[in-house]
């Protein structure tokens, strides 16, 4: 059997918290920031949890995370 591998893109973007939830960064904060309002950019700060409907995809990309 071949080894199970983690997707390299997923290990850079997601962190598994001790409770089993997955932390991700906010999107839409990298470029073209001049046309976004200050309020919008402020609300995009920090990190959020991955929604439970997407946890199946995350579990496939991170097979060794125990999700």
């Amino acid at each position: 059997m071949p080894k199970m591998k983690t997707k390299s893109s997923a290990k850079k973007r997601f962190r598994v918290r001790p409770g089993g939830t997955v932390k991700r960064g906010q999107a839409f904060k990298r470029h073209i920031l001049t046309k976004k309002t200050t309020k919008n950019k402020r609300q995009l700060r920090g990190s959020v949890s991955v929604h439970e409907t997407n946890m199946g995809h995350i579990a496939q990309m991170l097979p060794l995370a125990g999700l």
Side-chain angles (χ1 to χ4, degrees):
M1 281 296 290
K3 291 183 180 178
M4 289 177 17
K5 289 192 175 182
T6 298
K7 290 279 185 185
S8 293
S9 60
K11 69 183 174 187
K12 296 169 191 172
R13 289 177 171 90
F14 304 112
R15 292 285 177 265
V16 180
R17 290 176 171 153
T21 61
V22 179
K23 182 169 85 167
R24 68 169 176 87
Q26 280 279 16
F28 304 108
K29 189 67 169 56
R30 293 291 177 192
H31 59 95
I32 317 177
L33 297 173
T34 53
K35 62 177 71 172
K36 295 180 178 126
T37 63
T38 308
K39 178 183 177 181
N40 190 6
K41 290 184 278 192
R42 186 172 60 246
Q43 289 177 344
L44 289 173
R45 283 183 200 156
S47 57
V48 290
S49 295
V50 172
H51 197 264
E52 57 212 19
T53 57
N54 296 321
M55 286 298 289
H57 296 292
I58 301 296
Q60 284 182 343
M61 291 189 286
L62 301 169
L64 303 175
L67 297 175

